[in-house]
């Protein structure tokens, strides 16, 4: 039976999870900036690729790398992880290799070691991007697994990233940690590391705030903070002048917003571009971000009295939002605290500090 944890531990665990999420986003944006500006490449976060050998299988739904890069002569297909499981929590090293490395990480990466009919540049390398601080996990991956056998037909390389404090700013570093890529100039650069100060990525960080490492992986409180501080104010500004004056006269910001509107803002303004399905498409052909995490975030707003769900209109969910200053200046901290309180009422917090949202969100 799981034990209930304290609010302090829950909030610390949540903050760490969100910090890992933001650090991976910064590493991905550092790669995006480098490839687009220095290699004149096309950079996509995610996409739907069709394996030439599996396309006739009616149960095959395609493969979806986290990152797709197209240079003039080579494509790169990669997986990105905000963290790796701690080997010390497993019974043995062998169990860790089997459960985590073979059945999860490598099983996913090996899907990209194939021919894809809709990949414009067919020749490609495969890579994995992970945080540098996962030392024990990386050691097992490199020396107890990758060194033991040849696992890929295409070239494979491992990238690690680190977000450090340099003077008064944060520094983002991505470098090669294992393997090799086909482009010798790129290989040399990755060995020396791609480095940017956080200020160098200001434009990218202001625009791209959401990505999905895997489905529903974005922390709910992170989504909620973006909705409250960026998207809802943007929708407020977009309303006509009469509505703004009416709300000003009533000294309140109550207005209705539809789920479809929130999704439009998230997918068009805040998510990274995805790989187009065909050469004639030069825009996102699918929405990277799904509705479930947004609905989950809105349910927390309802529980704290900042939103009311309205009757569905043509299957589109809508809410009345009561937008006002929060009791805390740190919006993220406020929403994490409220998440703890609402979940604690339902005894849905376990000893790991990660909330069990499934029952709560039904």
């Amino acid at each position: 039976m799981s034990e209930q944890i304290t609010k302090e531990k829950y909030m610390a665990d949540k903050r760490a999870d969100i910090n890992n999420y933001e650090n991976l986003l910064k590493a991905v944006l550092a790669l995006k900036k480098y490839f687009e500006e220095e290699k004149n490449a096309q950079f996509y976060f995610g996409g739907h690729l069709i394996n030439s050998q599996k396309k006739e299988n009616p149960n095959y739904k395609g493969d979806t790398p986290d990152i797709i890069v197209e240079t003039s002569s080579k494509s790169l297909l990669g997986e990105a992880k905000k963290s790796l499981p701690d080997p010390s929590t497993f019974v043995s090293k062998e169990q860790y290799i089997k459960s985590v490395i073979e059945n999860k990480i490598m099983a996913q990466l090996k899907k990209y070691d194939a021919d894809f009919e809709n990949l414009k540049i067919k020749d490609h390398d495969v890579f994995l991007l992970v945080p540098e601080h996962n030392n024990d996990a990386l050691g097992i991956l490199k020396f107890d697994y990758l060194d033991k056998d040849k696992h890929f037909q295409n070239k494979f390389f491992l990238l690690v990233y680190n977000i450090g404090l340099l003077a008064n700013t944060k520094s983002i570093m991505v470098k090669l940690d294992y393997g090799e890529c086909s482009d010798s100039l790129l290989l040399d650069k990755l060995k020396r590391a791609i480095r940017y100060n956080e200020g160098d990525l200001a434009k990218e960080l202001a625009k791209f705030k959401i990505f999905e490492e895997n489905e529903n992986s974005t922390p709910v409180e992170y989504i909620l903070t973006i909705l409250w501080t960026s998207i809802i104010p943007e929708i407020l500004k977009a309303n006509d002048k009469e509505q703004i004056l009416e709300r000003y006269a009533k000294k309140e910001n109550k207005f209705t917003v539809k789920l479809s509107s929130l999704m439009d803002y998230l997918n068009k303004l805040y998510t990274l571009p995805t790989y187009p399905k065909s050469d004639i498409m030069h825009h996102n052909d699918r929405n990277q971000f799904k509705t479930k995490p947004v609905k989950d975030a809105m349910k927390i707003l309802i529980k704290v009295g900042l939103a009311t769900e309205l009757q569905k209109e043509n299957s589109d969910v809508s809410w009345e939002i009561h937008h006002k200053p929060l009791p805390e200046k740190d919006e993220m901290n406020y929403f994490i605290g409220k998440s703890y309180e609402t979940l604690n009422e339902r005894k849905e917090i376990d000893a790991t500090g990660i909330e069990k949202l499934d029952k709560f969100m039904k």
Side-chain angles (χ1 to χ4, degrees):
M1 181 179 294
S2 62
E3 299 177 5
Q4 184 172 309
I5 64 167
T6 64
K7 183 176 182 179
E8 289 73 18
K9 176 168 173 50
Y10 176 85
M11 294 186 71
D13 288 347
K14 261 299 176 182
R15 274 289 187 179
D17 185 44
I18 292 170
N19 185 62
N20 288 341
Y21 179 90
E22 291 178 319
N23 285 345
L24 176 55
L25 177 59
K26 290 172 185 177
V28 170
L29 292 177
L31 285 177
K32 181 178 187 294
K33 185 177 182 68
Y34 171 77
F35 277 109
E36 290 183 344
E37 295 184 1
E38 304 298 330
K39 302 292 288 184
N40 196 29
Q42 299 296 314
F43 189 99
Y44 305 95
F45 200 96
H48 191 87
L49 299 181
I50 304 299
N51 186 318
S52 304
Q53 302 298 317
K54 297 180 180 179
K55 64 179 181 178
E56 302 302 329
N57 185 341
N59 297 319
Y60 174 64
K61 300 183 183 299
D63 294 302
T64 55
D66 286 336
I67 298 172
I68 300 175
V69 184
E70 284 187 338
T71 68
S72 58
S73 60
K74 185 74 68 171
S75 293
L76 306 174
L77 308 182
E79 279 291 294
K81 301 295 182 186
K82 64 182 178 183
S83 63
L84 294 175
D86 182 0
S88 68
T89 61
F90 289 76
V91 174
S92 64
K93 183 190 295 184
E94 290 71 26
Q95 185 196 46
Y96 184 81
I97 291 173
K98 185 69 175 177
S99 300
V100 175
I101 296 177
E102 286 188 354
N103 293 347
K104 293 183 179 179
I105 297 174
M106 298 306 294
Q108 191 66 35
L109 285 168
K110 286 180 179 180
K111 291 180 181 179
Y112 313 146
D113 194 30
D115 295 325
F116 295 100
E117 65 174 27
N118 62 321
L119 194 61
K120 186 176 179 181
I121 309 296
K122 304 296 184 185
D123 291 337
H124 63 275
D125 297 343
V126 179
F127 72 93
L128 174 65
L129 174 68
V130 296
E132 186 180 38
H133 63 75
N134 291 144
N135 294 326
D136 292 341
L138 284 171
I140 294 174
L141 173 62
K142 291 184 292 185
F143 307 122
D144 294 290
Y145 186 80
L146 291 173
D147 271 353
K148 300 296 184 182
D149 200 358
K150 178 177 171 61
H151 299 280
F152 297 92
Q153 296 300 314
N154 294 313
K155 288 192 175 180
F156 168 80
F157 58 99
L158 172 66
L159 296 178
V160 295
Y161 64 89
N162 181 52
I163 313 297
L165 192 61
L166 183 64
N168 293 322
T169 186
K170 288 184 178 179
S171 173
I172 298 98
M173 180 276 295
V174 182
K175 69 177 182 180
L176 183 79
D177 194 49
Y178 186 92
E180 60 180 9
C181 58
S182 300
D183 184 333
S184 59
L185 294 178
L186 174 61
L187 180 63
D188 181 62
K189 176 62 178 178
L190 291 175
K191 286 179 178 179
R192 290 183 286 113
I194 295 169
R195 299 179 189 273
Y196 291 106
N197 290 332
E198 197 171 60
D200 299 329
L201 299 176
K203 182 179 178 181
E204 289 82 2
L205 288 168
K207 182 176 182 181
F208 302 118
K209 298 178 182 292
I210 294 284
F211 69 93
E212 285 283 75
E213 176 192 357
N214 48 61
E215 191 170 355
N216 301 326
S217 67
T218 309
V220 172
E221 296 83 0
Y222 180 87
I223 298 168
L224 190 46
T225 303
I226 291 175
L227 290 174
W228 193 257
T229 61
S230 299
I231 294 177
I232 289 175
E234 193 70 27
I235 294 173
L236 272 170
K237 291 178 185 177
N239 287 341
D240 62 54
K241 187 176 181 181
E242 287 186 7
Q243 289 178 315
I244 294 173
L245 291 174
E246 182 181 348
R247 288 197 303 271
Y248 180 78
K250 293 180 179 179
K251 296 183 179 180
E252 62 181 12
N253 270 332
K254 284 189 177 181
F255 65 102
T256 300
V257 64
K258 293 182 178 181
L259 175 63
S260 56
S261 296
L262 295 178
M263 298 308 299
D264 283 344
Y265 274 90
L266 281 167
N267 282 308
K268 291 178 181 178
L269 299 180
Y270 292 102
T271 58
L272 290 155
T274 58
Y275 191 73
K277 285 185 178 178
S278 66
D279 293 344
I280 61 173
M281 300 178 73
H282 303 288
H283 56 82
N284 291 7
D285 65 295
R286 71 177 180 89
N287 288 332
Q288 182 190 139
F289 206 63
K290 308 302 181 185
T291 60
K292 184 182 183 301
V294 176
K295 290 179 179 179
D296 291 347
M298 294 304 296
K299 286 187 177 182
I300 294 178
L301 274 190
I302 291 171
K303 297 301 177 184
V304 298
L306 296 174
T308 304
E309 186 170 346
L310 304 176
Q311 190 170 358
K312 289 184 180 180
E313 180 181 338
N314 297 324
S315 74
D316 193 3
V317 183
S318 61
W319 299 270
E320 182 182 65
I321 305 295
H322 186 190
H323 197 255
K324 62 180 181 180
L326 299 178
E328 295 182 32
K329 290 184 178 180
D330 187 335
E331 294 93 348
M332 185 95 66
N333 201 62
Y334 175 78
F335 286 129
I336 293 173
K338 289 302 178 182
S339 173
Y340 174 87
E341 291 173 12
T342 55
L343 292 168
N344 191 36
E345 289 172 4
R346 289 156 180 77
K347 299 180 180 179
E348 292 295 334
I349 298 176
D350 66 15
T352 66
I354 303 300
E355 72 271 33
K356 297 178 180 178
L357 282 169
D358 291 342
K359 292 181 181 178
F360 170 59
M361 294 304 174
K362 288 182 179 178

